[in-house]
Amino acid sequence: MFEVLVYVYENYWRGDACPELHQLERKLSAHGFEPDEIHDALVWLDGLNSAAENILVPADSETDWTPQPSDASMRVYSIAEQDHLGAPCLGFISFLEGSGVLPPALREIVVDRAMATAGDPVSLDQLKIIVLMVYWRFSIEPDALVLDELCDDSEGRLAH
């Protein structure tokens, strides 16, 4: 499924540029993806569209999402979320939030879409694709450093 999502991200730079799901299904099939992968990806994308329709629209076109939780609020993950996401993914979500590039409304969509994937726990690479797809759906182009963090393979990095 994630290969299909990457293909969609790379070929339709914005969520609103993506064709309707039934037309996308034909294009993906013509490209050679397996029917099961296409089905899983389309169900996932439909869930992303539904989640996007259920959040409030941003106050401006940047990152001022309303309503914002107070500074004293904290996101508490359920046991099921902790088990499915795992420590690396939860840490990465926290990193993105702390960096100011993942507003609470988008975080909730990321968590929702991560919970809709198979596999326990979700891998960090899969979570990065999910974050990219959420940005994509809202036509948010992450800045170069965030994009580098989302697209770079961190296994080859050495800590200084």
Side-chain angles (χ1 to χ4, degrees):
M1 174 184 87
F2 287 98
E3 293 84 13
V4 175
L5 294 178
V6 169
Y7 176 84
V8 169
Y9 180 84
E10 289 176 345
N11 288 279
Y12 303 101
W13 272 95
R14 294 174 38 163
D16 57 2
C18 188
E20 295 292 324
L21 294 181
H22 66 279
Q23 187 179 9
L24 179 61
E25 180 178 17
R26 286 193 303 256
K27 289 183 180 218
L28 293 170
S29 182
H31 189 69
F33 288 106
E34 295 294 321
D36 290 344
E37 288 180 330
I38 294 171
H39 177 266
D40 291 346
L42 293 178
V43 167
W44 191 91
L45 284 169
D46 188 47
L48 176 60
N49 290 334
S50 295
E53 292 171 2
N54 291 329
I55 69 163
L56 296 174
V57 184
D60 68 347
S61 62
E62 296 299 318
T63 58
D64 187 21
W65 294 81
T66 55
Q68 292 289 333
S70 73
D71 291 339
S73 68
M74 176 184 2
R75 172 61 155 91
V76 177
Y77 293 93
S78 71
I79 298 297
E81 290 171 333
Q82 291 176 37
D83 290 344
H84 191 70
L85 294 172
C89 290
L90 291 172
F92 189 71
I93 291 170
S94 179
F95 163 73
L96 293 175
E97 280 185 283
S99 299
V101 297
L102 189 65
L106 294 185
R107 176 201 61 219
E108 291 307 311
I109 294 176
V110 167
V111 171
D112 173 71
R113 296 292 73 213
M115 294 299 291
T117 63
D120 278 333
V122 172
S123 75
L124 186 55
D125 288 339
Q126 291 172 336
L127 181 75
K128 289 178 179 183
I129 294 169
I130 292 168
V131 172
L132 280 173
M133 292 305 294
V134 170
Y135 284 156
W136 171 84
R137 173 57 180 84
F138 287 94
S139 300
I140 298 171
E141 189 171 330
D143 67 29
L145 292 175
V146 173
L147 196 57
D148 182 55
E149 189 65 38
L150 290 170
C151 295
D152 190 33
D153 182 14
S154 60
E155 286 188 26
R157 289 185 183 176
L158 293 175
H160 296 322

